[in-house]
Amino acid sequence: MKLKIFLSLFVISTMIFISSCGEDEKQAELEKVDSIDELIEDMDSAKDNNMAIDTISISPAPEEPAPTDQNTNNEAVNQVEQTTSNDYSKKPLQGTVVSFDDLMIGGSGKVNKQKALDLVSKGNMIVLKTVDGRLFFVYNEDGSFAGKRLAGFANNDKVGLIGKAKVVDGLNIFIMNLIEAM
């Protein structure tokens, strides 16, 4: 028994010793250049000596068209489209109630009301899957997770949510005011 412990300690200490031994490689220090002209001369001499150098080409920024009434109108339309695409206060966001865990392991995610309520009581996530395949984590207006409310509509083929959608750290979040069977 003592021999096994000693052998294990010996192997570990040998591995640490070997990994710590190595050549200290110093990085080349960059030369300080006083002017752009000096830098260009150094680059030209490096080309003449067939030395490989990394270069960055700087191109002028593209000119933006002068603002016109049409451009201003297009920007306003784009802003309205972005706002309305996330604002579901008039037209509901439609989808089906699914189990997030089941989706993540390759299942369909479909659950009935009782199964969804059981999953929520165990702390599993119930989410909304839209027709186009986006998943939304649904929250109540007070900031609490709305999994239990969603689970109550799991028997319906399609539900509609009234509220606002937003993306937070790449996740689709829906702040729900109202949920209805469709």
Side-chain angles (χ1 to χ4, degrees), residues 71-179:
N71 287 342
T72 307
N73 290 339
N74 287 342
E75 289 173 11
V77 169
N78 288 340
Q79 287 177 352
V80 169
E81 287 176 356
Q82 288 176 349
T83 306
T84 56
S85 67
N86 292 332
D87 185 11
Y88 293 94
S89 58
K90 305 273 189 254
K91 184 178 176 188
L93 175 67
Q94 296 182 14
T96 57
V97 177
V98 295
S99 164
F100 182 72
D101 294 338
D102 189 46
L103 284 173
M104 292 301 105
I105 60 170
S108 68
K110 289 193 176 220
V111 289
N112 61 27
K113 181 178 178 178
Q114 187 57 45
K115 177 74 173 170
L117 290 171
D118 290 343
L119 289 172
V120 168
S121 68
K122 294 177 185 174
N124 293 332
M125 302 292 278
I126 300 297
V127 297
L128 182 81
K129 182 178 180 182
T130 61
V131 178
D132 61 359
R134 294 180 296 162
L135 296 178
F136 282 88
F137 293 87
V138 182
Y139 290 85
N140 295 310
E141 290 177 293
D142 65 359
S144 61
F145 186 67
K148 192 170 185 177
R149 281 181 71 188
L150 266 179
F153 288 85
N155 283 341
N156 299 82
D157 290 333
K158 195 183 279 187
V159 296
L161 302 177
I162 300 291
K164 291 195 183 268
K166 61 183 177 178
V167 177
V168 178
D169 292 332
L171 295 175
N172 294 319
I173 305 295
F174 194 88
I175 308 301
M176 175 180 61
N177 298 338
L178 178 69
I179 182 171

Side-chain angles (χ1 to χ4, degrees), residues 45-81:
S45 66
K47 284 181 187 175
D48 293 340
N49 294 333
N50 292 327
M51 297 173 65
I53 57 171
D54 291 333
T55 60
I56 298 174
S57 62
I58 300 174
S59 58
E63 293 182 22
E64 293 185 22
T68 63
D69 290 338
Q70 184 178 3
N71 287 342
T72 307
N73 290 339
N74 287 342
E75 289 173 11
V77 169
N78 288 340
Q79 287 177 352
V80 169
E81 287 176 356

